[in-house]
Amino acid sequence: MRRIPPLSALPLALALTAGLAAPAVQAETPAALAAAYAREAGAPPSAERGQQFFTTRHGAEWACASCHGAVPVQAGRHAATGRTIAALAPAANPARLTDPAKVEKWLGRNCKDVAGRACSAQEKADVLTWLNTLQP
């Protein structure tokens, strides 16, 4: 005869099972992500180049600053949809740029919109380095 566990053990068992099934989200610091892109690029990052990349149009209709603002320490607004975008600078929004998968996802999408291509590891390192210098 099979023994049924008491109901008090069920929430613990479900929590443990859910924890094993869910992928672990590896949180990073924005500085660590910038350093990882710089290592991939094989050159030190430049905050000056990052600011220039962020605020300049690259042949496409928009610059990063079109939606995030020239100094993204406050909420921005999507240029096409008008949707509010949370502040991008980590000092203004500590949750930003901490999940490598999200950072890569959004850089992938936004680089195509802004530059018409994928951004290089050097460009990513430069922009993240500049964003890390900003204070609200």
Side-chain angles (χ1 to χ4, degrees), residues 84-97:
T84 299
I85 302 170
L88 188 56
N93 184 353
R96 283 291 206 171
L97 308 176

Side-chain angles (χ1 to χ4, degrees), residues 29-56:
T29 66
L33 289 171
Y37 284 123
R39 280 191 303 277
E40 183 181 335
S46 163
E48 293 79 21
R49 281 193 313 256
Q51 180 181 18
Q52 182 177 13
F53 184 90
F54 194 89
T55 57
T56 302

Side-chain angles (χ1 to χ4, degrees), residues 48-85:
E48 293 79 21
R49 281 193 313 256
Q51 180 181 18
Q52 182 177 13
F53 184 90
F54 194 89
T55 57
T56 302
R57 290 184 183 179
H58 300 272
E61 184 177 344
W62 300 332
C64 304
S66 299
C67 297
H68 292 287
V71 182
V73 295
Q74 297 179 348
R77 188 162 305 281
H78 192 278
T81 67
R83 186 172 150 224
T84 299
I85 302 170

Side-chain angles (χ1 to χ4, degrees), residues 1-127:
M1 179 178 233
R2 187 170 175 210
R3 182 175 177 261
I4 298 173
L7 289 178
S8 61
L10 190 56
L12 177 60
L14 289 174
L16 290 172
T17 303
L20 293 174
V25 176
Q26 181 183 5
E28 296 270 349
T29 66
L33 289 171
Y37 284 123
R39 280 191 303 277
E40 183 181 335
S46 163
E48 293 79 21
R49 281 193 313 256
Q51 180 181 18
Q52 182 177 13
F53 184 90
F54 194 89
T55 57
T56 302
R57 290 184 183 179
H58 300 272
E61 184 177 344
W62 300 332
C64 304
S66 299
C67 297
H68 292 287
V71 182
V73 295
Q74 297 179 348
R77 188 162 305 281
H78 192 278
T81 67
R83 186 172 150 224
T84 299
I85 302 170
L88 188 56
N93 184 353
R96 283 291 206 171
L97 308 176
T98 58
D99 181 340
K102 282 185 181 179
V103 170
E104 192 58 29
K105 170 188 164 184
W106 286 108
L107 284 174
R109 286 183 185 181
N110 292 337
C111 286
K112 287 179 184 170
D113 287 343
V114 169
R117 60 174 172 74
C119 288
S120 69
Q122 187 68 61
E123 289 165 333
K124 293 174 187 180
D126 293 345
V127 168

